[in-house]
Amino acid sequence: MYRENAWKAYDETALAKLEQTAKNYRHFLDNGKTERECAAYTIAAAKEQGYQDLKDIIKAGKRLQPGDKVYVDCMGKAVMLFYIGKNSMEKGINIVGSHIDSPRIDIKQNPFYEDSGFAYADTHYYGGIKKYQWVARALALHGVVVKKDGSVITLAIGEKDDDPVVGISDLLIHLSRDQMGKKASEVIGGEDLDIMLCGKPLAGEEKEPVKAALLKILKEQYNVEEEDLVSAEIEAVPAGPARDYGLDRSMILGYGHDDRVCAYASLEALFGLEEVPEYTCCCLMADKEEIGSVGATGMRAMYFENAMAELLNLTEESYSDLMLRHALANSRMLSCDVSAGFDPLFAGAFEKKNAAILGNGVCFNKFTGSGGKSGSNDANAEYISKLRKIMDDHQIAWQTAELGRVDVGGGGTIAYVCALYGMEVIDSGVAVLSMHAPLEVINKADLYEAVKAYAAFMKDAK
Ligand code: MN
Ligand code: MN
């Protein structure tokens, strides 16, 4: 089966649209370096499109009609947007679900210490990372500090041109004979990912003067006390904006393509729907995928099911639990998450004819998981048949892929969680190179095709 490179089919109009999508996506990435920032960006954009807070609708005792648009904010870290369609939700809805958390380095609750003239923050990394990739590079600090009185201080330090950046040091090559002989997983230890924050003592301070200087800066510039870190979520992420990548500008280099590229594509697709859809459409952006979809904002929590119950209650004459079961089981979902792009420099990790090729369009992964399909969703052939037709009807460049060669590794997505309801689910996303590295690479054509694919799915899936 031969798949054409998507770029070959574009005329001037398509290329202009593709570049506009890429530009808007870079803006989303640059303003969404954490799940909280992505959620806030999404809600602000949704409000501009006429989306209302589901809580306000319930409070006002209003009903929902086809054409109405609502959003659900889950603790500011996960978001769901619903565009109410013409059919009863009991017949199922069309869901494009992604995740907005990305691998990073989190500051601990009691983080600060001083050693040899430096003040540091202790950290615990989040998600699957090659720890050695995160040293000797500029990092920015993003997050929130919640004061004891409940007031929230929002931080984003290291993104503006004149902002300072922070980072983690590495050992000089000259003294690395032992380090270079270690296994890559042991080159940098988990407890060694400490972030250097200050390097100058506070005048007149005898005990821990550099840490004292750090605390003074935090107090004076950000109104943050050391104790406040207990109720804070600060994430160290690669500093700086996403960039066009390649001399031909065909790709984008940036932090957090996994999975903000699919989140963005699903958002643009939803906002681009011109007519009230046949079936209710949902753009779902989950948190905590990178650590197993756990926690109150992870996909395994109840927020999606709860929102479906509320929406049925607001759209149907009477509500029943059975109706909710029907709505969930009859739904169709694209679990929108990135695919492992084929990398010629690491060809041995892939089986090429079943690998995602950058530039060949949106990917469908029947299964992910690891050896023996363990832990995978394994979508139904009947469902894939319907999707094939939708993709071809809309002239979308698409390909099938699996996660590398059999038995070389593995991974999962949110697909299996939604599949528990008995709905049809398949993984579908954009191919990424250097996945989970501080800077990942995608091809603009794949982003563009993903937007088209998700829109076609929301319009036509039934
Ligand atoms: Mn992912
Ligand atoms: Mn991931």
Side-chain angles (χ1 to χ4, degrees):
M1 211 161 27
Y2 175 72
R3 297 276 175 207
E4 280 271 309
N5 187 294
W7 288 93
K8 291 184 185 169
Y10 299 148
D11 57 15
E12 289 302 312
T13 318
L15 287 171
K17 280 194 200 164
L18 175 150
E19 283 302 336
Q20 189 58 50
T21 292
K23 194 173 161 216
N24 295 347
Y25 170 53
R26 287 205 316 269
H27 188 261
F28 179 78
L29 269 188
D30 293 345
N31 289 279
K33 289 231 175 157
T34 67
E35 63 284 18
R36 284 179 188 266
E37 290 174 0
C38 288
Y41 186 105
T42 299
I43 289 169
K47 281 182 177 169
E48 268 178 38
Q49 296 281 328
Y51 282 76
Q52 303 177 68
D53 192 338
L54 179 62
K55 272 192 205 144
D56 294 340
I57 294 189
I58 294 168
K59 216 172 173 182
K62 286 191 216 154
R63 305 277 304 161
L64 290 173
Q65 311 296 334
D68 283 345
K69 299 168 177 177
V70 294
Y71 72 85
V72 180
D73 175 356
C74 308
M75 300 181 180
K77 296 179 184 181
V79 190
M80 291 172 290
L81 311 181
F82 292 91
Y83 188 1
I84 307 296
K86 294 175 193 158
N87 282 302
S88 162
M89 285 177 62
E90 197 175 355
K91 292 184 179 168
I93 72 168
N94 294 340
I95 308 157
V96 284
S98 58
H99 68 91
I100 48 178
D101 62 317
S102 296
R104 60 182 190 248
I105 298 175
D106 287 346
I107 307 285
K108 288 190 186 187
Q109 266 28 76
N110 183 16
F112 302 138
Y113 72 95
E114 172 169 343
D115 194 347
S116 312
F118 300 113
Y120 289 97
D122 234 309
T123 67
H124 195 143
Y125 66 94
Y126 174 99
I129 62 169
K130 292 181 173 179
K131 294 185 276 288
Y132 65 80
Q133 293 177 332
W134 292 71
V135 297
R137 60 164 46 250
L139 298 176
L141 298 172
H142 289 242
V144 295
V145 180
V146 187
K147 305 282 282 184
K148 213 195 234 176
D149 66 5
S151 58
V152 180
I153 296 162
T154 305
L155 299 178
I157 308 166
E159 301 295 351
K160 294 193 208 91
D161 282 346
D162 57 348
D163 266 1
V165 293
V166 294
I168 302 163
S169 53
D170 196 2
L171 184 61
L172 63 166
I173 182 69
H174 316 70
L175 302 181
S176 292
R177 195 177 298 150
D178 280 356
Q179 189 199 36
M180 296 300 279
K182 285 183 182 173
K183 278 170 44 183
S185 60
E186 292 161 4
V187 165
I188 303 288
E191 282 292 353
D192 301 331
L193 290 170
D194 292 357
I195 298 174
M196 187 182 288
L197 295 177
C198 283
K200 186 170 75 179
L202 184 66
E205 190 72 31
E206 290 298 313
K207 201 176 148 247
E208 299 198 311
V210 186
K211 183 179 161 185
L214 164 66
L215 296 180
K216 186 165 185 271
I217 291 167
L218 290 180
K219 177 68 190 158
E220 287 179 356
Q221 296 185 24
Y222 307 103
N223 188 29
V224 171
E225 315 259 1
E226 189 173 15
E227 281 286 317
D228 294 335
L229 271 292
V230 166
S231 48
E233 287 172 3
I234 302 178
E235 308 176 6
V237 298
R243 308 281 294 267
D244 276 354
Y245 191 63
L247 300 183
D248 58 0
R249 298 178 178 271
S250 59
M251 296 167 280
I252 298 173
L253 175 79
Y255 164 66
H257 286 315
D258 178 6
D259 181 35
R260 291 163 190 154
V261 66
C262 296
Y264 175 77
S266 65
L267 197 63
E268 184 171 315
L270 180 70
F271 289 168
L273 293 180
E274 276 163 8
E275 287 164 24
V276 176
E278 292 297 315
Y279 293 88
T280 295
C281 295
C282 170
C283 174
L284 184 161
M285 299 181 186
D287 179 29
K288 298 282 186 280
E289 192 276 341
E290 296 295 357
I291 56 168
S293 297
V294 292
T297 53
M299 196 65 230
R300 283 155 80 173
M302 297 286 284
Y303 54 85
F304 172 69
E305 186 177 328
N306 289 347
M308 289 290 283
E310 296 284 6
L311 292 176
L312 281 165
N313 193 40
L314 297 176
T315 52
E316 299 293 331
E317 298 272 314
S318 64
Y319 172 83
S320 76
D321 183 63
L322 190 60
M323 186 181 275
L324 174 63
R325 304 288 133 214
H326 290 160
L328 292 167
N330 289 334
S331 287
R332 294 128 320 238
M333 181 181 194
L334 295 183
S335 163
C336 305
D337 208 341
V338 291
S339 275
F342 177 79
D343 187 338
L345 300 187
F346 298 96
F350 300 87
E351 187 267 285
K352 197 169 182 182
K353 66 187 188 309
N354 286 289
I357 309 291
L358 263 74
N360 277 14
V362 66
C363 302
F364 287 88
N365 292 57
K366 186 176 189 299
F367 51 87
T368 55
S370 57
K373 298 191 177 181
S374 173
S376 80
N377 165 55
D378 212 2
N380 281 320
E382 290 84 347
Y383 183 45
I384 300 176
S385 139
K386 288 182 186 174
L387 296 173
R388 265 175 84 181
K389 179 159 175 14
I390 295 171
M391 294 302 121
D392 288 346
D393 285 353
H394 289 265
Q395 290 164 337
I396 285 152
W398 63 281
Q399 55 182 325
T400 57
E402 66 176 313
L403 185 49
R405 284 180 81 81
V406 177
D407 283 342
V408 300
T413 64
I414 61 171
Y416 79 97
V417 187
C418 302
L420 295 172
Y421 293 116
M423 67 175 70
E424 297 280 17
V425 189
I426 188 168
D427 281 301
S428 165
V430 171
V432 170
L433 289 192
S434 310
M435 196 189 294
H436 285 206
L439 296 174
E440 305 171 314
V441 175
I442 61 136
N443 191 299
K444 290 178 181 176
D446 299 329
L447 164 64
Y448 181 60
E449 295 299 325
V451 173
K452 284 166 42 188
Y454 298 166
F457 168 81
M458 285 190 277
K459 252 176 79 193
D460 284 4
K462 51 172 140 303

